Amino acid sequence: MVAGKEIKLVGAAAGAVRILQHLARSPEPVGLTPLARALGLNVSTCLNLLRTLAEFGLVRANVGAKTYQIGLGVLDLARGILTLGGAAAAVQPMMREIALRHGVTVTLWRRVSTDRMVLTNIVENDRLMRIRMSIGQRLPLLIGAGGRVMAAYAGFDEAELRRGFEELRWHRQPTFEAYLREIEETRRQGWAMDNGAHVQGTLTVAAPVVDDRGAVNLVCSGTMFGEQHDRVTIFRVAEDLKGLCESLRLAAAGL
């Protein structure tokens, strides 16, 4: 509905979108007949739509198994949004400076749903051994250092935090009480740290990008190997990330 008027949907376009949505939600490849049945589509129509989507890389066909799954082409469609456009480009030199100065991997994460965030930008350092991640990688909203930031600034009450916390899978899971204390510490100091609780052998520092409304939908992180830096250097990384977050906020606001 737009401006109170009913929109007439184009059948083929609507069918293609529904196929993409269904495959994106499915944890495993889906066969033609089960997919057509689930969406209420004619099998022949569904097959033609799948072939068209596969031609553009939006769907991947597993020929031997005769199944289909979401294709990597959808990342190309979303890349312009995920990379934050000119704002991220404006702070790219600062991200690189932090990465090279401290030997860390600097990343930007965006909240994309009520319970997920996605990696939108990444700058690696130039060391032989370094941590690598991929744009488009998704994480539960409340996990790790970035998750503590989201928990501290996204307006969740304690009951919502507990429900979300109970669904998380950590390498070394903290107690909920310890998690709450770390959230309070994040609010006080303006940054969070995860020292191997989420991913074994790594330490991540994260800070929030607070927009003009006081909301936080972006997190800047620096990830390093555990024991790579002492506490003083970790604090310096955190302060640099806070500066990066402020620069990103100003760039996004066009200031």
Side-chain angles (χ1 to χ4, degrees), residues 9-23 35 39-42 45-46 48-50 53 59:
L9 298 179
V10 177
V17 170
R18 291 171 61 205
I19 286 173
L20 291 174
Q21 290 174 331
H22 187 90
L23 293 180
L35 178 61
L39 298 178
L41 295 173
N42 177 275
T45 299
C46 187
N48 288 333
L49 290 173
L50 284 167
L53 292 169
V59 164

Side-chain angles (χ1 to χ4, degrees), residues 46-69:
C46 187
L47 178 59
N48 288 333
L49 290 173
L50 284 167
R51 286 174 173 170
T52 301
L53 292 169
E55 184 68 22
F56 289 94
L58 302 177
V59 164
R60 177 184 172 189
N62 305 299
V63 179
K66 297 183 179 180
T67 58
Y68 300 85
Q69 62 192 101

Side-chain angles (χ1 to χ4, degrees), residues 109-114 116-117 141-142 145-156 186-187 190-191 206-221 245 248-249:
W109 296 82
R110 168 178 276 183
R111 180 178 182 175
V112 291
S113 68
T114 58
R116 287 290 185 274
M117 55 183 163
L141 188 68
L142 298 178
R148 290 172 176 85
V149 168
M150 286 294 184
Y153 292 94
F156 295 108
T186 299
R187 292 193 183 103
W191 58 276
V209 179
V210 183
D211 66 22
D212 293 337
R213 299 170 298 170
V216 172
N217 290 301
L218 292 172
V219 173
C220 300
S221 296
C245 288
L248 184 56
R249 183 190 71 81

Side-chain angles (χ1 to χ4, degrees), residues 2-17:
V2 174
K5 296 182 180 180
E6 184 176 354
I7 296 176
K8 180 177 177 58
L9 298 179
V10 177
V17 170

